């Protein structure tokens, strides 16, 4: 990797982070509430983008179905790079904003 491409990658990451932060703001201003599946998608993408891989050892309580659904959704993204989930989050919020 050359120094020039490293700088390009850093600029690209900054652009993605900025766009992600704007998408987070937009997600709170949606005119209609997304369905539960879409909300889980937003949640899991956000958590993976901001915290990285879930700690699989901290499983939710057996009958906490909401926490279990969130856990499962986030666990599915384990290992997915930050840039990728940020881009997916941005795309999903853009789709929801255009509805």
């Amino acid at each position: 990797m050359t120094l020039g491409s490293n700088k390009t990658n850093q600029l690209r990451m900054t652009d993605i982070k900025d766009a992600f932060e704007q998408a987070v703001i937009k997600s709170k201003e949606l005119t209609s509430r997304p369905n539960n599946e879409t909300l889980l998608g937003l949640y899991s993408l956000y958590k993976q983008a901001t915290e990285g891989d879930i700690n699989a050892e901290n499983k939710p309580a057996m009958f906490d179905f909401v926490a279990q659904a969130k856990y499962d959704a986030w666990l599915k993204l384990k290992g997915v790079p930050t840039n990728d989930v940020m881009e997916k989050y941005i795309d999903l919020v853009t789709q929801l904003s255009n509805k």
Side-chain angles (χ1 to χ4, degrees):
M1 180 185 298
T2 65
L3 185 59
S5 65
N6 189 26
K7 188 171 184 173
T8 301
N9 288 339
Q10 287 175 344
L11 288 173
R12 186 177 183 304
M13 184 62 183
T14 301
D15 291 343
I16 291 171
K17 283 183 181 180
D18 289 344
F20 175 77
E21 290 171 10
Q22 290 300 312
V24 170
I25 293 168
K26 280 175 114 178
S27 74
K28 296 174 185 177
E29 299 170 349
L30 295 173
T31 55
S32 62
R33 185 180 187 276
N35 64 36
N36 288 341
E37 184 178 333
T38 303
L39 287 173
L40 279 173
L42 286 169
Y43 170 83
S44 60
L45 290 167
Y46 177 83
K47 294 295 274 188
Q48 185 70 15
T50 59
E51 297 184 28
D53 289 344
I54 190 170
N55 180 351
E57 295 174 10
N58 292 337
K59 294 183 179 182
M62 183 183 297
F63 294 107
D64 189 346
F65 301 114
V66 172
Q68 185 66 49
K70 289 179 174 182
Y71 174 89
D72 292 342
W74 187 6
L75 185 61
K76 289 178 185 176
L77 295 175
K78 189 171 185 172
V80 179
T82 302
N83 280 7
D84 293 351
V85 291
M86 283 184 175
E87 288 176 354
K88 288 178 183 178
Y89 186 93
I90 294 163
D91 290 344
L92 181 53
V93 170
T94 300
Q95 289 174 357
L96 294 170
S97 296
N98 292 333
K99 285 187 175 182

